[in-house]
Amino acid sequence: MQFGKLCCLALGAGSLAACATTPQLSPDEQALVANEWALVSIMDDNEDVRLRPQFSNRHTLNFDADGSLMMQLDCNRGNADWRAYPGSAGSGDLSIGPVAATRALCPDPSYGERLASALPGATGYRITPGVGSLTIITQDAVFGFEALR
């Protein structure tokens, strides 16, 4: 009899713990998390860069539901915290914390350092679900991404 009560208590506690650790994500946040994003363009006041696929796939973002962001920054790796604040459908404010990254010297052309330094200045995002595109607006540039999966 005691064993049965203990099992019920353990199952109940486990269920509560699972609920407590599963964040409620908005549809926009779910779209961010559901994809791996490859950098395809960078636009600022001085230039409009379009990356060829072999360079694009070396610059990727992976948003995790737990609020962590994993990055492939060309020959380096990085991570940061993130949070989206949805506004209208498919867009809103985006906050990305400081990027911790490895510091290998990557051969040119490399956009990893630029991405790592600009992302903490993110102010907004725009997702086009049917197209699989993500735009991240920072204080210095606009970064375009395409979904890889």
Side-chain angles (χ1 to χ4, degrees), residues 3 11 13 22-23 33 40-41 62 68 70 76 79 86-87 110 118-119 121 128 141 146:
F3 179 74
L11 285 173
T22 305
V33 169
V40 294
S41 66
N62 288 290
S68 61
M70 303 303 291
N76 290 294
N79 61 62
S110 179
L119 284 178
T128 310
E146 287 182 357

Side-chain angles (χ1 to χ4, degrees), residues 1-14:
M1 187 70 161
Q2 289 294 335
F3 179 74
K5 287 181 184 178
L6 251 154
C7 285
C8 287
L9 286 173
L11 285 173

Side-chain angles (χ1 to χ4, degrees), residues 25-93:
L25 299 177
S26 71
D28 287 353
E29 291 170 313
Q30 290 173 4
L32 285 170
V33 169
N35 295 294
E36 179 177 9
W37 300 98
L39 180 65
V40 294
S41 66
I42 303 170
M43 292 181 291
D44 65 17
D45 292 338
N46 300 319
E47 62 183 341
D48 185 357
V49 177
R50 303 285 174 193
L51 279 72
R52 289 183 282 174
Q54 67 264 34
F55 298 117
S56 181
N57 293 335
R58 296 183 349 207
H59 302 83
T60 60
L61 303 179
N62 288 290
F63 293 88
D64 198 341
D66 70 0
S68 61
L69 174 60
M70 303 303 291
M71 295 167 261
Q72 182 66 49
L73 303 165
D74 197 354
C75 66
N76 290 294
R77 293 195 176 271
N79 61 62
D81 294 329
W82 72 279
R83 179 79 174 112
Y85 305 93
S88 59
S91 66
D93 295 334

